[in-house]
Amino acid sequence: MATLQCIVVTPEATVRDEPADFVALPLYDGELGVAPNHSPMIGRLGFGELRIVSGGKAERFYVDGGFVQVAGNVVSVLTPRAIAAEQLDAEAAQEELEAARKMKANTPERMARRDRIVAQSRAQLRVAKHARG
Amino acid sequence: MASPRQLDKRRKAVRNIRKITRTMELIATARFKRAMDRAEAATAYTQRITALVADLARSGLEVSHPLLEAREQTRRVVLLVLTGNRGLCGGYNSSVQRLAQHRLGELRQEGIEVVLEVSGKRGIGAFRFRNIEPDETYTHFEDRPTFDEVDLLASRYLDEFAAGRIDRLEVAYTQFISASRQAPAVETLLPLTEIAGAPSEQSDAEAATGHSMYEFLPSAESILEEVVPTSFKVKLFKCFLDAAVSEQIARMVAMKRATENADEMIRMLSMEYNRARQTRITGELLEVLGGVEALNA
């Protein structure tokens, strides 16, 4: 059976470049599962959990938006930040969320900024909670 | 001629300095390797973004974006100058600074309002010395600029550009061409003059057939909208990385030269010391002989 090659790249490092059996991607509007021989696609990522299953074990990452390209059994994830779920700091994310909620949002730009931070920290909390069980 | 004692003292001092420059050279070498690895990782990311844009273009999409359009009138320009926090790296800081200052003069002469932003203590000091107060200064970018830090800066520029508060962003930094060649350069990052991977005018038309094997989620336009700012951010990040790598190389070369000069100086001083010592011994011998002669006479 064909296997996938899952590559996760951030501007600072290539986080992962290993085979996988199944990849679950956090697209901008929901999760998308990619199994081997998936049709080619380019998608926009949201904030959320990237799950890579290989050999029955799942690796979890928090990704901060970006893109994904699937072609020829290669899944390339391009993201500004990818953090292993175990290394997420739930408390820091919680603090960030609370701080963001108190932010003034009296202009459209500020509102967009606040919404983005809220979405990011919520996603981090979700991923962190998931990782702990 | 100086006394042998003095010469020996000087030789010891030079030896101590040599130890320091040699250590600095080794440190710069280690840092250079680390910076280089990071720069390579960033290149991998850039290449993938480029490939993505090429795929987008192949789907017959018109590559257009507000960030790609030049403004009709340029009223306010941000000039970002990237220098090091530390000296002792040859002409690295001064050459960037000189170029930036030249560019600043040019822009001001055209009657354009310039917002000067300087990163690195050396550059800030150099501008202040010339009585030019930078509008914004950064000193937290060391030899390992992180993407998060640059991202903050990049987002601010994007916001200001989108709001029309600035019409252009220029970055003066040291371009890393190869391990043996780095050159100071001024690059215009906003508006993005071109986006890597997009078809140039002379590229064959058959590439853009409108057929693409890719399925776009949600749509090619929406992805392009997101790719362009990302590509700007990565470009800015690359500037920071280039500057960091170049600084370490410059320091490495400067310290290597200093060590070599110290070696040369130690050699010269040793020779002089031996000669002075010899002369003194000869002089003393002559004195003793003279004394014996005088007694015999």
Side-chain angles (χ1 to χ4, degrees), chain A residues 25 27-34 38-46 66-68 70, chain B residues 56 214-224 226:
Chain A
L25 302 160
L27 280 200
Y28 71 106
D29 59 351
E31 224 178 44
L32 177 91
V34 175
H38 191 281
S39 67
M41 69 121 193
I42 294 177
R44 196 168 149 182
L45 296 176
F67 313 96
V68 62
V70 182
Chain B
L56 281 174
Y214 289 102
E215 182 188 346
F216 293 102
L217 296 172
S219 69
E221 288 80 12
S222 150
I223 289 170
L224 182 74
E226 191 69 24

Short mmCIF file of all heavy atoms in Angstrom, two decimals, chain A residues 25 27-34 38-46 66-68 70, chain B residues 56 214-224 226:
data_model
loop_
_atom_site.label_atom_id
_atom_site.label_comp_id
_atom_site.label_asym_id
_atom_site.label_seq_id
_atom_site.Cartn_x
_atom_site.Cartn_y
_atom_site.Cartn_z
N LEU A 25 -5.77 17.42 8.73
CA LEU A 25 -5.34 18.80 8.61
C LEU A 25 -6.41 19.75 9.13
O LEU A 25 -7.59 19.55 8.86
CB LEU A 25 -5.11 19.15 7.13
CG LEU A 25 -4.10 18.31 6.38
CD1 LEU A 25 -4.35 18.43 4.89
CD2 LEU A 25 -2.71 18.76 6.72
N LEU A 27 -8.09 22.63 8.29
CA LEU A 27 -8.33 23.63 7.25
C LEU A 27 -9.07 24.82 7.86
O LEU A 27 -9.51 24.78 9.00
CB LEU A 27 -9.15 23.03 6.11
CG LEU A 27 -8.39 22.18 5.09
CD1 LEU A 27 -9.19 22.08 3.81
CD2 LEU A 27 -7.01 22.72 4.81
N TYR A 28 -9.20 25.87 7.07
CA TYR A 28 -9.77 27.11 7.61
C TYR A 28 -11.20 26.92 8.10
O TYR A 28 -11.67 27.66 8.96
CB TYR A 28 -9.72 28.21 6.54
CG TYR A 28 -10.69 27.97 5.42
CD1 TYR A 28 -11.84 28.72 5.29
CD2 TYR A 28 -10.45 26.97 4.50
CE1 TYR A 28 -12.75 28.47 4.28
CE2 TYR A 28 -11.35 26.71 3.49
CZ TYR A 28 -12.49 27.46 3.38
OH TYR A 28 -13.38 27.20 2.40
N ASP A 29 -11.90 25.95 7.56
CA ASP A 29 -13.31 25.79 7.95
C ASP A 29 -13.61 24.43 8.54
O ASP A 29 -14.75 24.04 8.68
CB ASP A 29 -14.21 26.05 6.74
CG ASP A 29 -13.90 25.09 5.60
OD1 ASP A 29 -12.89 24.37 5.71
OD2 ASP A 29 -14.65 25.06 4.62
N GLY A 30 -12.58 23.69 8.90
CA GLY A 30 -12.85 22.39 9.51
C GLY A 30 -11.76 21.40 9.20
O GLY A 30 -10.82 21.72 8.47
N GLU A 31 -11.89 20.21 9.73
CA GLU A 31 -10.81 19.25 9.56
C GLU A 31 -10.93 18.50 8.25
O GLU A 31 -12.03 18.26 7.75
CB GLU A 31 -10.83 18.25 10.72
CG GLU A 31 -9.45 18.01 11.26
CD GLU A 31 -9.46 17.05 12.44
OE1 GLU A 31 -10.17 16.03 12.38
OE2 GLU A 31 -8.75 17.34 13.39
N LEU A 32 -9.77 18.16 7.70
CA LEU A 32 -9.75 17.39 6.46
C LEU A 32 -8.78 16.25 6.65
O LEU A 32 -7.63 16.45 7.04
CB LEU A 32 -9.29 18.29 5.30
CG LEU A 32 -9.17 17.56 3.97
CD1 LEU A 32 -10.46 17.65 3.21
CD2 LEU A 32 -8.04 18.14 3.14
N GLY A 33 -9.25 15.03 6.36
CA GLY A 33 -8.38 13.88 6.49
C GLY A 33 -7.75 13.54 5.15
O GLY A 33 -8.39 13.64 4.12
N VAL A 34 -6.48 13.20 5.18
CA VAL A 34 -5.80 12.82 3.95
C VAL A 34 -5.23 11.43 4.14
O VAL A 34 -4.40 11.19 5.01
CB VAL A 34 -4.68 13.82 3.60
CG1 VAL A 34 -3.91 13.35 2.38
CG2 VAL A 34 -5.25 15.20 3.36
N HIS A 38 -4.59 10.43 -2.14
CA HIS A 38 -5.56 11.51 -2.13
C HIS A 38 -5.38 12.33 -3.40
O HIS A 38 -4.27 12.43 -3.93
CB HIS A 38 -5.31 12.39 -0.90
CG HIS A 38 -6.39 13.38 -0.62
ND1 HIS A 38 -6.51 14.54 -1.31
CD2 HIS A 38 -7.40 13.37 0.29
CE1 HIS A 38 -7.56 15.21 -0.85
NE2 HIS A 38 -8.11 14.52 0.12
N SER A 39 -6.45 12.92 -3.87
CA SER A 39 -6.34 13.73 -5.08
C SER A 39 -5.55 15.00 -4.77
O SER A 39 -5.61 15.50 -3.64
CB SER A 39 -7.72 14.08 -5.62
OG SER A 39 -8.34 14.93 -4.72
N PRO A 40 -4.83 15.54 -5.76
CA PRO A 40 -4.01 16.73 -5.50
C PRO A 40 -4.86 17.91 -5.07
O PRO A 40 -5.93 18.14 -5.63
CB PRO A 40 -3.36 17.03 -6.85
CG PRO A 40 -3.48 15.79 -7.63
CD PRO A 40 -4.71 15.09 -7.14
N MET A 41 -4.40 18.63 -4.09
CA MET A 41 -5.13 19.83 -3.68
C MET A 41 -4.22 20.81 -2.95
O MET A 41 -3.16 20.45 -2.46
CB MET A 41 -6.32 19.44 -2.80
CG MET A 41 -5.95 18.92 -1.46
SD MET A 41 -6.69 19.96 -0.23
CE MET A 41 -5.85 19.47 1.22
N ILE A 42 -4.65 22.07 -2.98
CA ILE A 42 -3.97 23.10 -2.21
C ILE A 42 -5.01 23.72 -1.30
O ILE A 42 -6.10 24.07 -1.77
CB ILE A 42 -3.37 24.18 -3.14
CG1 ILE A 42 -2.26 23.57 -3.99
CG2 ILE A 42 -2.82 25.35 -2.33
CD1 ILE A 42 -1.66 24.54 -4.99
N GLY A 43 -4.72 23.83 -0.04
CA GLY A 43 -5.73 24.34 0.88
C GLY A 43 -5.16 25.35 1.84
O GLY A 43 -3.95 25.42 2.05
N ARG A 44 -6.07 26.12 2.39
CA ARG A 44 -5.68 27.13 3.35
C ARG A 44 -5.91 26.59 4.75
O ARG A 44 -6.99 26.05 5.01
CB ARG A 44 -6.55 28.35 3.09
CG ARG A 44 -6.04 29.59 3.71
CD ARG A 44 -6.83 30.73 3.14
NE ARG A 44 -6.93 31.76 4.14
CZ ARG A 44 -7.60 32.89 3.96
NH1 ARG A 44 -8.25 33.10 2.84
NH2 ARG A 44 -7.62 33.79 4.90
N LEU A 45 -4.95 26.73 5.62
CA LEU A 45 -5.09 26.18 6.96
C LEU A 45 -5.61 27.23 7.93
O LEU A 45 -5.42 28.42 7.72
CB LEU A 45 -3.73 25.69 7.48
CG LEU A 45 -3.07 24.53 6.74
CD1 LEU A 45 -1.70 24.26 7.31
CD2 LEU A 45 -3.94 23.29 6.83
N GLY A 46 -6.26 26.74 8.96
CA GLY A 46 -6.67 27.64 10.04
C GLY A 46 -5.80 27.39 11.25
O GLY A 46 -4.74 26.78 11.15
N GLY A 66 -1.54 29.02 7.57
CA GLY A 66 -0.59 28.61 6.54
C GLY A 66 -1.29 27.89 5.40
O GLY A 66 -2.49 28.09 5.17
N PHE A 67 -0.54 27.02 4.73
CA PHE A 67 -1.09 26.32 3.57
C PHE A 67 -0.72 24.86 3.61
O PHE A 67 0.22 24.46 4.27
CB PHE A 67 -0.52 26.90 2.28
CG PHE A 67 -0.55 28.37 2.24
CD1 PHE A 67 0.55 29.11 2.61
CD2 PHE A 67 -1.71 29.03 1.89
CE1 PHE A 67 0.52 30.48 2.62
CE2 PHE A 67 -1.76 30.39 1.89
CZ PHE A 67 -0.65 31.12 2.25
N VAL A 68 -1.48 24.10 2.84
CA VAL A 68 -1.11 22.71 2.67
C VAL A 68 -1.20 22.37 1.19
O VAL A 68 -2.05 22.89 0.47
CB VAL A 68 -2.00 21.78 3.51
CG1 VAL A 68 -3.45 21.89 3.09
CG2 VAL A 68 -1.52 20.35 3.41
N VAL A 70 -1.14 18.99 -1.30
CA VAL A 70 -1.13 17.54 -1.40
C VAL A 70 -0.94 17.18 -2.86
O VAL A 70 -1.70 17.63 -3.71
CB VAL A 70 -2.46 16.93 -0.89
CG1 VAL A 70 -2.40 15.42 -0.95
CG2 VAL A 70 -2.74 17.38 0.53
N LEU B 56 -0.42 28.01 -8.47
CA LEU B 56 -1.58 28.90 -8.52
C LEU B 56 -1.64 29.58 -9.89
O LEU B 56 -2.69 29.67 -10.51
CB LEU B 56 -1.47 29.98 -7.45
CG LEU B 56 -1.85 29.59 -6.03
CD1 LEU B 56 -1.54 30.74 -5.10
CD2 LEU B 56 -3.32 29.25 -5.95
N TYR B 214 -4.82 20.62 -9.43
CA TYR B 214 -5.14 20.82 -8.03
C TYR B 214 -6.58 21.22 -7.81
O TYR B 214 -7.18 21.90 -8.63
CB TYR B 214 -4.25 21.91 -7.44
CG TYR B 214 -2.84 21.48 -7.28
CD1 TYR B 214 -1.87 21.89 -8.18
CD2 TYR B 214 -2.47 20.64 -6.24
CE1 TYR B 214 -0.56 21.49 -8.04
CE2 TYR B 214 -1.17 20.23 -6.10
CZ TYR B 214 -0.21 20.66 -6.99
OH TYR B 214 1.08 20.26 -6.85
N GLU B 215 -7.04 20.80 -6.68
CA GLU B 215 -8.33 21.27 -6.21
C GLU B 215 -8.01 22.33 -5.16
O GLU B 215 -7.14 22.12 -4.32
CB GLU B 215 -9.04 20.09 -5.55
CG GLU B 215 -10.40 20.37 -5.05
CD GLU B 215 -10.92 19.18 -4.24
OE1 GLU B 215 -10.32 18.09 -4.31
OE2 GLU B 215 -11.91 19.36 -3.54
N PHE B 216 -8.64 23.50 -5.25
CA PHE B 216 -8.31 24.56 -4.31
C PHE B 216 -9.38 24.69 -3.24
O PHE B 216 -10.56 24.76 -3.55
CB PHE B 216 -8.15 25.89 -5.04
CG PHE B 216 -6.96 25.92 -5.96
CD1 PHE B 216 -7.13 25.76 -7.32
CD2 PHE B 216 -5.69 26.07 -5.45
CE1 PHE B 216 -6.04 25.76 -8.16
CE2 PHE B 216 -4.59 26.07 -6.29
CZ PHE B 216 -4.77 25.92 -7.65
N LEU B 217 -8.93 24.71 -2.01
CA LEU B 217 -9.86 24.86 -0.91
C LEU B 217 -9.50 26.12 -0.14
O LEU B 217 -8.41 26.18 0.37
CB LEU B 217 -9.77 23.66 0.05
CG LEU B 217 -10.17 22.31 -0.54
CD1 LEU B 217 -9.85 21.20 0.44
CD2 LEU B 217 -11.65 22.29 -0.85
N PRO B 218 -10.26 27.14 -0.04
CA PRO B 218 -11.59 27.28 -0.64
C PRO B 218 -11.53 27.68 -2.11
O PRO B 218 -12.32 27.19 -2.90
CB PRO B 218 -12.20 28.42 0.17
CG PRO B 218 -11.04 29.20 0.70
CD PRO B 218 -9.90 28.26 0.82
N SER B 219 -10.60 28.57 -2.53
CA SER B 219 -10.50 28.92 -3.93
C SER B 219 -9.11 29.46 -4.17
O SER B 219 -8.41 29.86 -3.24
CB SER B 219 -11.53 30.00 -4.29
OG SER B 219 -11.16 31.21 -3.67
N ALA B 220 -8.71 29.47 -5.43
CA ALA B 220 -7.37 29.94 -5.75
C ALA B 220 -7.18 31.39 -5.33
O ALA B 220 -6.13 31.77 -4.82
CB ALA B 220 -7.11 29.78 -7.24
N GLU B 221 -8.24 32.20 -5.52
CA GLU B 221 -8.13 33.63 -5.17
C GLU B 221 -7.87 33.80 -3.68
O GLU B 221 -7.02 34.59 -3.27
CB GLU B 221 -9.42 34.39 -5.54
CG GLU B 221 -9.64 34.60 -7.01
CD GLU B 221 -10.21 33.37 -7.69
OE1 GLU B 221 -10.65 32.45 -6.96
OE2 GLU B 221 -10.20 33.31 -8.93
N SER B 222 -8.62 33.04 -2.90
CA SER B 222 -8.49 33.19 -1.45
C SER B 222 -7.11 32.76 -0.99
O SER B 222 -6.54 33.34 -0.06
CB SER B 222 -9.58 32.36 -0.78
OG SER B 222 -9.14 31.91 0.46
N ILE B 223 -6.57 31.73 -1.65
CA ILE B 223 -5.23 31.28 -1.25
C ILE B 223 -4.20 32.33 -1.65
O ILE B 223 -3.30 32.65 -0.87
CB ILE B 223 -4.94 29.90 -1.88
CG1 ILE B 223 -5.80 28.86 -1.18
CG2 ILE B 223 -3.47 29.55 -1.73
CD1 ILE B 223 -5.79 27.53 -1.82
N LEU B 224 -4.39 32.90 -2.82
CA LEU B 224 -3.44 33.94 -3.26
C LEU B 224 -3.44 35.11 -2.29
O LEU B 224 -2.40 35.64 -1.93
CB LEU B 224 -3.82 34.43 -4.66
CG LEU B 224 -2.87 35.47 -5.22
CD1 LEU B 224 -1.58 34.83 -5.65
CD2 LEU B 224 -3.49 36.24 -6.35
N GLU B 226 -3.80 35.08 0.71
CA GLU B 226 -3.05 34.74 1.91
C GLU B 226 -1.56 34.53 1.59
O GLU B 226 -0.70 34.81 2.42
CB GLU B 226 -3.65 33.45 2.48
CG GLU B 226 -3.20 33.07 3.85
CD GLU B 226 -3.69 34.00 4.94
OE1 GLU B 226 -4.73 34.66 4.73
OE2 GLU B 226 -3.03 34.07 5.98
#
